[in-house]
Amino acid sequence: MVNQLEIRNLHARIVDGETILNGVNLIVPKGQIHAIMGPNGAGKSTLGKIIAGDPSYEITKGDILMDGESILEMEADERARKGLFLAFQYPVEVPGVSNANFLRLALQAKQGGEVNMMEFYGKLQKALKTLEWDESILTRYLNDGFSGGEKKRNEIMHMMVLEPTYAIMDETDSGLDIDALKVVAKGVNAMRGPNFGALLITHYQRLLNYIVPDAVHVMIDGRIVTSGGPELALRLEEQGYDWVKELAATAS
Amino acid sequence: MSENILVEDIGNEYKYGFVDEVQPVWKAEKGLSRRVVEAISYHKDEPAWMLQFRLKALEIYQSKPVPTWGADLSGLNMDEIYFYAKPTEKRDARSWDEVPEEIRRTYEKLGIPEAERKVLAGVGAQYDSEMVYHQVREELQRLGVIFVSIEEGLKHHEDLFREYFATVIPPEDNKYAALNSAVWSGGSFVYVPKGVKVELPLQAYFRVNTAELGQFERTIIVVDEGAEVHYIEGCTAPTYTTDSFHSGVIEIVVNQGAKSRYTTIQNWSHNMYNLVTQRALVKKDAYHMWLDGNLGSKVTMKYPSSYLVEEGARSDILSIAFANTGQHQDAGGKLIFAASHTGGSIVSKSISKGAGRSSYRGLIKVYEGAKHVKVNVECDALLINEESRTDTYPYMEIEDDTATVGHEATVSRLNDEQIFYLQSRGLPEDEAAALIVRGFIEPVAKELPLEYAVELNRLIELEMEGSVG
Ligand SMILES: Nc1ncnc2c1ncn2[C@@H]1O[C@H](COP(=O)(O)OP(=O)(O)OP(=O)(O)O)[C@@H](O)[C@H]1O
Ligand SMILES: [Mg+2]
């Protein structure tokens, strides 16, 4: 079995609409954390949502494989139960549904049976402690009226409780203050290990000071145009995307 | 005739649709007539004044036209309805052992005796036209709490009964209140004496088994000064291919400083016309809450109302309606302010699924001279599918300009982004949709006792099966 999340020559468009991904190739081995950077509108979030199974996009070519198995035919919930997780760029508000209650249902769905309440409570406590957060967030309605930063932190809390094998974090750092950024990085680093792979979508090199990636990829116009180590993020920070865009233009 | 009626196969959506092997011991002839009314009165061995009252009400009923302003009632044919079916000779059994076995088994299936032992202060069970069981905890009886069938109330507490009967809702009120006044049978008579706080709810459970039967229960609840009570009503029926009819009248008097709640979880089968008049008279510094959950029926027309008649009276009306394909839930509430410094709110949450239709119909009336009334209305509609429908009919008659009136209405559709978000955490699509609906009604559902909130959630999950995608 190949222990990796593989995106193979992925072409995708909005259902009956515009094409957004033009042949994405990407491999995230289990145990590693990769970063994706790229200008606004490059298709980063779309890639994240497509991996998670968003039905508003359709795949016209290529494949997505989790540990060697294609997940294209699976619905989003089935992918999640197999160990995939997407921390949303814009977490969705669900009024009337308590945060903890929802998490319990999600964990229950994943485990395929009643969750042990003590165990569940333990997981919550551990996540809250790492994220230096107050219990009161548990009884609030899911993302309802949360501040931008609270929403992002809550996504990481969900991730820590659901313990996915592969996580995609879409701009989790955007909207976080300096202290919150450190705390969230602590949460992600706590997940790090041989059984966890992650794809961080970010605009800022700063996050990568706290979560040092194994690789950095740059996406432009729905394609990965170059990859490298953490130093690539530093170069983008200094020079912007023009040089990569040129690279992309010559490549195509 | 009833043997020929087939039970409609609707899959497992409505799990109470089973028919019991129970034949009534006596059934009136089909249709409505003076003779039928006389027969009902005769079978109840009533005083003469009640028969006179019934016959007068029948005339009023016959003189009023079928209302056309609300749901479509054209399918309701009074000639095809039995107006009275007596399930057993014994009314108001005090122990379940005294209830005929077949009937008892039905209530066991519905979990009533178990709930009675665990979480209720008393239970009344109506089967077809009569209350077959009625019991209230002994310590409450000792405190003077009366919880008996309406018939026993008339028989054993006639003075008290006459003091309140038809005073809150006279037969002239509307066509179906008049009909109920003519043919009423079953329902509860509740009296909570001064200062007595009934901690656990009293529950009445209504079951219609006989096909094409109309059920016309009549309930009187009197909560005396400083007393407290919570009355819960539940109901189910088999799913026949022919329609049934339920038309209750509920009169509540909440005396000074008293607190009461009336909760309905209406889960009739989808062949039921459900036209109910329920009204509370709320006195000085008293409080009344209506919590009205309408999930079942083919047609519901039901607008619980509170009349705030003395200073400091308050009332909240919380309403949940779920209309699936083939159902029209025309629900809402009325708050009538006739005294100063009174207040209240209506919160209505409706869900329409498939080709289901829900309507909010509400009235806020503030009489001139009723000073500093505060009232707020919020009605939210959620549409699950393209063909789902909702309408809002909010009426406001504000005659005093010291009133503070708030009104907010929203219509939303089941949101794909919400579904995907929940699904991406592992919940199957149906469950995600049901969870969103549960969240939508949470502001109302959280007022329910835990067991009922759980039951409501379960019912909503059943209704939401196969709803999306
Ligand atoms: N559902 C959609 N409907 C219409 N346009 C869409 C949709 N999804 C994506 N797009 C378009 O596809 C392009 C890529 O969007 P995407 O959100 O993936 O970009 P991004 O790389 O995440 O950008 P950012 O850095 O600003 O978050 C954009 O032009 C966007 O407007
Ligand atoms: Mg994005």
Side-chain angles (χ1 to χ4, degrees):
Chain A
M1 195 169 85
V2 236
N3 286 316
Q4 62 186 30
L5 176 65
E6 180 181 358
I7 319 300
R8 192 186 286 171
N9 191 27
L10 193 69
H11 294 252
R13 62 178 186 202
I14 302 164
V15 172
D16 297 327
E18 193 191 335
T19 296
I20 299 171
L21 301 184
N22 297 297
V24 178
N25 283 295
L26 186 67
I27 290 176
V28 182
K30 202 183 276 179
Q32 294 195 5
I33 294 185
H34 288 203
I36 293 194
M37 302 182 81
N40 294 131
K44 305 180 297 296
S45 293
T46 303
L47 175 65
K49 286 190 271 187
I50 286 175
I51 296 171
D54 188 338
S56 53
Y57 301 96
E58 60 189 353
I59 287 155
T60 49
K61 207 168 156 189
D63 207 348
I64 305 170
L65 304 119
M66 213 170 125
D67 296 337
E69 185 192 358
S70 173
I71 58 170
L72 284 194
E73 296 303 317
M74 296 177 191
E75 300 246 336
D77 52 300
E78 202 182 340
R79 298 182 194 194
R81 294 196 296 271
K82 277 217 173 280
L84 205 62
F85 183 91
L86 171 65
F88 281 52
Q89 181 175 4
Y90 304 107
V92 182
E93 302 195 358
V94 190
V97 175
S98 98
N99 201 12
N101 216 352
F102 168 61
L103 255 184
R104 189 178 54 78
L105 291 173
L107 194 61
Q108 194 167 299
K110 197 171 173 197
Q111 293 182 353
E114 281 294 309
V115 295
N116 178 308
M117 283 314 280
M118 287 305 288
E119 207 175 293
F120 175 58
Y121 193 69
K123 279 180 201 280
L124 287 175
Q125 288 303 321
K126 198 172 145 210
L128 287 175
K129 194 158 172 258
T130 308
L131 295 173
E132 299 174 23
W133 222 9
D134 194 80
E135 266 192 38
S136 61
I137 203 71
L138 298 173
T139 50
R140 288 180 63 183
Y141 294 149
L142 186 52
N143 296 321
D144 190 23
F146 284 22
S147 74
E150 283 169 340
K151 283 181 183 167
K152 297 301 178 70
R153 201 188 288 213
N154 200 50
E155 293 292 275
I156 300 305
M157 196 211 15
H158 282 196
M159 180 178 81
M160 295 179 77
V161 171
L162 295 173
E163 298 178 295
T165 321
Y166 296 102
I168 301 147
M169 285 168 263
D170 193 353
E171 292 198 29
T172 301
D173 53 335
S174 300
L176 290 179
D177 66 46
I178 302 285
D179 295 337
L181 181 71
K182 287 185 193 163
V183 160
V184 161
K186 195 164 68 162
V188 177
N189 285 327
M191 299 280 301
R192 239 180 163 142
N195 293 316
F196 179 70
L199 197 54
L200 295 179
I201 299 171
T202 182
H203 285 297
Y204 306 107
Q205 194 277 329
R206 198 182 58 198
L207 175 71
L208 306 180
N209 288 336
Y210 300 107
I211 308 170
V212 180
D214 296 285
V216 175
H217 309 276
V218 183
M219 178 181 260
I220 292 188
D221 291 340
R223 214 181 271 129
I224 303 292
V225 292
T226 186
S227 302
E231 73 289 345
L232 181 55
L234 284 167
R235 184 170 172 198
L236 292 169
E237 181 94 350
E238 274 166 29
Q239 303 181 1
Y241 288 110
D242 280 350
W243 66 274
V244 209
K245 283 180 185 163
E246 272 167 37
L247 215 71
T250 47
S252 59
Chain B
M1 174 72 204
S2 65
E3 291 80 16
N4 300 332
I5 293 165
L6 296 169
V7 176
E8 195 179 6
D9 180 16
I10 55 158
N12 55 3
E13 249 184 51
Y14 185 72
K15 76 164 194 171
Y16 306 110
F18 56 86
V19 183
D20 313 330
E21 295 293 318
V22 174
Q23 293 300 320
V25 294
W26 191 80
K27 189 158 80 170
E29 64 198 35
K30 256 188 187 178
L32 181 63
S33 64
R34 198 182 157 96
R35 208 166 61 179
V36 164
V37 171
E38 283 168 348
I40 293 171
S41 187
Y42 170 80
H43 273 269
K44 292 184 184 298
D45 191 20
E46 288 176 349
W49 70 266
M50 184 54 82
L51 176 60
Q52 291 315 310
F53 172 88
R54 287 178 183 274
L55 292 171
K56 173 116 193 302
L58 179 64
E59 280 171 25
I60 296 166
Y61 166 77
Q62 283 161 343
S63 72
K64 283 187 186 287
V66 173
T68 50
W69 44 262
D72 179 10
L73 300 176
S74 59
L76 187 56
N77 183 356
M78 295 298 170
D79 298 334
E80 287 302 318
I81 286 170
Y82 295 102
F83 282 80
Y84 180 78
K86 187 194 253 187
T88 156
E89 289 298 342
K90 187 170 170 56
R91 188 190 291 138
D92 273 37
R94 294 277 155 188
S95 133
W96 286 104
D97 292 338
E98 296 167 35
V99 176
E101 195 186 336
E102 281 295 338
I103 296 179
R104 186 178 71 226
R105 237 186 267 150
T106 296
Y107 290 106
E108 275 163 5
K109 268 196 228 177
L110 296 165
I112 308 297
E114 194 193 347
E116 178 181 19
R117 285 191 297 272
K118 290 185 181 157
V119 294
L120 298 170
V123 161
Q126 176 155 351
Y127 197 88
D128 285 349
S129 298
E130 295 285 354
M131 292 303 263
V132 294
Y133 175 87
H134 240 289
Q135 184 59 288
V136 61
R137 292 195 179 190
E138 214 180 306
E139 62 270 26
L140 293 171
Q141 289 180 37
R142 274 200 300 271
L143 290 170
V145 173
I146 300 172
F147 179 54
V148 293
S149 70
I150 192 85
E151 287 82 2
E152 297 296 303
L154 172 57
K155 201 158 269 165
H156 300 296
H157 311 275
E158 191 173 339
D159 290 345
L160 197 60
F161 183 101
R162 276 192 99 155
E163 192 180 334
Y164 294 101
F165 179 77
T167 58
V168 184
I169 304 171
E172 294 81 7
D173 190 81
N174 68 74
K175 187 170 178 76
Y176 297 100
L179 177 64
N180 176 285
S181 298
V183 297
W184 67 262
S185 184
S188 301
F189 182 75
V190 182
Y191 175 77
V192 185
K194 275 185 195 172
V196 174
K197 296 182 165 61
V198 182
E199 306 274 348
L200 293 172
L202 300 173
Q203 170 158 7
Y205 200 92
F206 297 90
R207 173 90 183 157
V208 172
N209 185 58
T210 299
E212 303 176 298
L213 179 71
Q215 193 180 59
F216 305 95
E217 102 275 5
R218 180 111 195 173
T219 288
I220 297 174
I221 300 174
V222 179
V223 195
D224 221 332
E225 288 174 24
E228 287 180 20
V229 75
H230 183 183
Y231 186 95
I232 300 179
E233 174 202 306
C235 38
T236 57
T239 309
Y240 295 109
T241 50
T242 50
D243 293 331
S244 301
F245 183 30
H246 173 256
S247 186
V249 165
I250 289 102
E251 301 179 278
I252 301 181
V253 177
V254 195
N255 280 331
Q256 183 169 339
K259 263 189 185 168
S260 67
R261 256 181 199 222
Y262 191 102
T263 297
T264 306
I265 303 293
Q266 184 265 103
N267 185 29
W268 292 117
S269 51
H270 292 190
N271 57 317
M272 184 69 83
Y273 282 86
N274 184 47
L275 316 176
V276 178
T277 309
Q278 40 187 46
R279 187 174 302 162
L281 210 59
V282 191
K283 307 274 188 71
K284 190 169 170 27
D285 298 326
Y287 175 76
H288 180 72
M289 179 194 279
W290 293 108
L291 200 163
D292 199 32
N294 291 300
L295 284 100
S297 299
K298 174 178 179 173
V299 168
T300 299
M301 285 176 75
K302 194 157 179 279
Y303 326 98
S305 42
S306 296
Y307 283 58
L308 302 127
V309 293
E310 291 179 9
E311 283 207 9
R314 288 179 309 116
S315 180
D316 295 312
I317 302 174
L318 308 178
S319 169
I320 296 172
F322 194 117
N324 219 324
T325 301
Q327 291 183 284
H328 185 179
Q329 306 284 11
D330 199 276
K334 297 185 206 173
L335 288 174
I336 314 293
F337 298 92
S340 297
H341 302 287
T342 49
S345 71
I346 300 180
V347 178
S348 158
K349 301 268 176 187
S350 74
I351 300 121
S352 309
K353 188 192 146 197
R357 178 176 174 194
S358 63
S359 315
Y360 166 79
R361 195 179 297 277
L363 171 67
I364 301 294
K365 171 148 187 145
V366 178
Y367 278 98
E368 195 180 341
K371 298 288 175 200
H372 308 294
V373 168
K374 277 202 183 111
V375 56
N376 195 51
V377 177
E378 183 191 331
C379 45
D380 302 315
L382 178 64
L383 302 172
I384 306 295
N385 304 101
E386 277 304 315
E387 68 272 33
S388 312
R389 175 170 172 190
T390 184
D391 311 277
T392 317
Y393 308 96
Y395 300 98
M396 298 264 178
E397 296 171 18
I398 314 296
E399 295 173 359
D400 198 290
D401 57 16
T402 61
T404 314
V405 183
H407 179 85
E408 215 181 303
T410 65
V411 177
S412 53
R413 287 199 174 267
L414 193 63
N415 180 319
D416 288 343
E417 278 181 33
Q418 284 180 330
I419 300 261
F420 173 58
Y421 182 67
L422 300 183
Q423 234 186 318
S424 80
R425 299 281 136 102
L427 294 191
E429 195 174 14
D430 276 3
E431 274 179 45
L435 192 63
I436 293 165
V437 170
R438 279 165 54 176
F440 175 73
I441 61 165
E442 170 67 12
V444 174
K446 71 170 196 268
E447 295 295 335
L448 284 168
L450 183 65
E451 294 73 17
Y452 295 86
V454 169
E455 174 68 4
L456 183 68
N457 282 341
R458 216 185 49 72
L459 292 174
I460 283 178
E461 256 150 47
L462 282 176
E463 293 287 346
M464 288 300 290
E465 267 172 24
S467 58
V468 282

